[in-house]
Amino acid sequence: MARPRKPLLSRERIVETASALVDAEGLAALSTRRLAAELGVSGPSLYNHFRTKDEILDAVADAVSAKVDLSMFEEGDDRDWRTALHDWAASYRAALADHPNIVPVLAQGPGRRPAGLRVADAVFGAMVRAGWPPAQATYIGALMRYFVTGSALGSFARGFVDDEAAYDPADYPHLGQAHLLAEHRQKVDEGAFDTGLRALLDGLAMQYEAAVARGEAGAARGKAGVAPGKDASAVAER
């Protein structure tokens, strides 16, 4: 009887397997030896597709970036800059929430990763079209990455133990309900993200309005969340 043929090794198969391993056991679990064993191949065969383990991690990280929705930044999309940033941030966080163990790699920036660079290019281009000065558009892209990746690095609620005795009122008079946080982890973490995102966007809207008043922004006000004839203060109300 003929022996069953093994699936051909490919970059896609390597990345999928590496991603599953990182998701299940964390970054420390990934090694070329372990990955080759999971794939049922010899270690050197991996080097036909990737030169180093770091290149594999880059590919895994980029596969996550590729899942982030960028449609809101397309020139034909009618969302204003604030709504676009909100919707993108939500999609970005959702992608990271599905693969939290790879977040430390993504937090380092896009490097040479194609999908990561497409994200950076889309955000910067959309903000400039919206009338933000290029320097501010750069700051906004950086700020959003800090905020989203930071929110995905860990769970605030999970940081508290499910043990009422750990929070003696004599020592922590305001943490009487802290032992209940872990039970409501998703609600707490999503609420914190939404609160922070709204505050961040409110602040940016105020900065945009001030920049318009100084004549430093608003060259493309129709794409900046302010329809023709609409006062710029409306941006801050969204």
Side-chain angles (χ1 to χ4, degrees):
M1 181 180 297
R3 297 176 62 185
R5 297 178 60 187
K6 293 181 180 179
L8 293 176
L9 193 61
S10 64
R11 286 181 63 92
E12 292 75 17
R13 187 170 167 235
I14 293 171
V15 171
E16 288 175 2
T17 304
S19 180
L21 183 57
V22 170
D23 285 347
E25 301 183 32
L27 289 171
L30 183 66
S31 67
T32 53
R33 178 178 296 181
R34 174 71 185 280
L35 183 56
E38 293 287 331
L39 289 162
V41 300
S42 64
S45 63
L46 297 177
Y47 299 116
N48 293 324
H49 303 276
F50 295 96
R51 292 177 296 178
T52 65
K53 185 184 82 169
D54 285 344
E55 282 193 1
I56 297 173
L57 282 174
D58 270 347
V60 171
D62 214 39
V64 174
S65 294
K67 297 178 181 179
V68 180
D69 182 16
L70 298 177
S71 63
M72 68 288 295
F73 296 131
E74 295 174 358
E75 293 194 45
D77 193 280
D78 61 1
R79 278 171 280 193
D80 58 66
W81 68 263
R82 175 178 174 145
T83 302
L85 281 180
H86 177 279
D87 294 351
W88 168 67
S91 175
Y92 192 3
R93 182 177 183 271
L96 299 191
D98 288 339
H99 306 278
N101 291 335
I102 198 65
V103 173
V105 179
L106 282 162
Q108 296 172 10
R112 296 177 182 271
R113 304 177 203 131
L117 289 171
R118 281 192 290 272
V119 171
D121 180 75
V123 176
F124 178 81
M127 293 305 100
V128 171
R129 289 197 307 274
W132 285 97
Q136 286 296 115
T138 299
Y139 301 154
I140 290 171
L143 170 63
M144 296 301 291
R145 181 164 66 82
Y146 298 157
F147 176 70
V148 177
T149 58
S151 73
L153 279 173
S155 165
F156 175 83
R158 192 176 288 166
F160 294 86
V161 298
D162 183 15
D163 179 5
E164 187 174 4
Y167 307 105
D168 188 331
D171 296 320
Y172 315 107
H174 307 296
L175 296 182
Q177 301 296 308
H179 65 287
L180 301 176
L181 287 174
E183 181 182 347
H184 303 285
R185 180 186 63 81
Q186 184 174 352
K187 181 179 180 181
V188 171
D189 292 343
E190 289 181 354
F193 178 80
D194 185 62
T195 299
L197 181 58
R198 288 177 182 274
L200 187 156
L201 294 174
D202 284 347
L204 286 177
M206 293 175 64
Q207 289 188 35
Y208 181 83
E209 185 177 358
V212 169
R214 295 192 302 268
E216 298 173 1
R221 294 181 67 200
K223 295 180 182 178
V226 185
K230 199 174 199 179
D231 189 79
S233 62
V235 177
E237 298 173 0
R238 297 189 179 189

